[in-house]
Amino acid sequence: MNFSLDVASPADASVFQNLMQLYTHDFSQFWAGTPRGELEQNGRFPDYPLDAYFDRPHWSAFLLKADERPVGFALINDASHSTLPTDYSVAEFFIVRKYRGQGFGLIAAQRLFQQHPGAWEVAAARKNVAALRFWQGAIRKSAVENSMSELDWDRPEWNGAIIRFHVAA
């Protein structure tokens, strides 16, 4: 199967919004008991604010494809969860369930890191234990030796792990 990580453009926004529905549905299990993740009257989750990923420097959107079909996405920016300086941060990352566990996520993460050397930050929500395990493993394979550190935050603005690391050029 041919896998690609393609830089997205505004023309891809509808594909992103469709995939974002699946992502939000998956993630909504972690919002049980809160007002987050409610469906609108039309039966859809609210659209994700994508414009900045096409307009701002250091913000990028990527479509993940298997045999030219969308199977996920990655959004990166320079917004730090920890408020510490960083070059890149994974804002959102998603693989359609059918394609999970086949190595596509790891390939996509490694390609993102290789294409963007520098200081990175990845945050995983406390309840999303599978995501934290995935990121810990993916980062260990790409980070400069001894550059990985993990913060455990329980604050109103973020509750979960924040992994900081460097990727060499």
Side-chain angles (χ1 to χ4, degrees):
M1 186 170 292
N2 182 30
F3 178 79
S4 65
L5 175 74
D6 301 336
V7 176
S9 73
D12 298 310
S14 65
V15 175
F16 262 93
Q17 293 301 352
N18 291 338
L19 289 168
M20 197 59 75
Q21 291 294 305
L22 302 172
Y23 173 76
T24 305
H25 175 264
D26 280 2
F27 210 83
S28 69
Q29 71 177 327
F30 304 120
W31 297 326
T34 74
R36 292 186 73 188
E38 294 297 334
L39 292 169
E40 295 180 333
Q41 292 299 319
N42 64 4
R44 290 177 47 88
F45 294 103
D47 280 349
Y48 189 88
L50 286 171
D51 291 345
Y53 290 93
F54 304 124
D55 298 337
R56 292 181 67 172
H58 306 288
W59 288 47
S60 300
F62 299 87
L63 280 173
L64 287 52
K65 294 181 180 178
D67 291 337
E68 297 302 315
R69 293 184 180 185
V71 298
F73 60 80
L75 299 173
I76 62 171
N77 60 34
D78 59 0
S80 169
H81 276 80
S82 69
T83 69
L84 297 170
T86 193
D87 297 317
Y88 302 102
S89 177
V90 175
E92 311 290 352
F93 189 89
F94 175 71
I95 303 283
V96 174
R97 286 181 186 218
K98 177 180 179 176
Y99 294 94
R100 292 181 192 166
Q102 298 179 40
F104 294 124
L106 178 59
I107 293 167
Q110 288 178 318
R111 287 184 187 172
L112 280 173
F113 299 151
Q114 290 167 358
Q115 292 173 15
H116 300 87
W120 276 85
E121 192 171 278
V122 175
R126 184 170 309 283
K127 292 181 180 180
N128 197 346
V129 176
L132 179 58
R133 279 194 313 264
F134 165 79
W135 285 116
Q136 289 168 330
I139 291 165
R140 278 190 197 98
K141 293 181 185 304
S142 298
V144 170
E145 191 173 347
N146 297 321
S147 71
M148 186 174 149
S149 64
E150 191 171 316
L151 308 172
D152 182 14
W153 277 31
D154 186 1
R155 300 180 182 182
E157 64 275 8
W158 184 251
N159 185 0
I162 302 170
I163 306 170
R164 296 179 52 80
F165 58 102
H166 285 82
V167 176

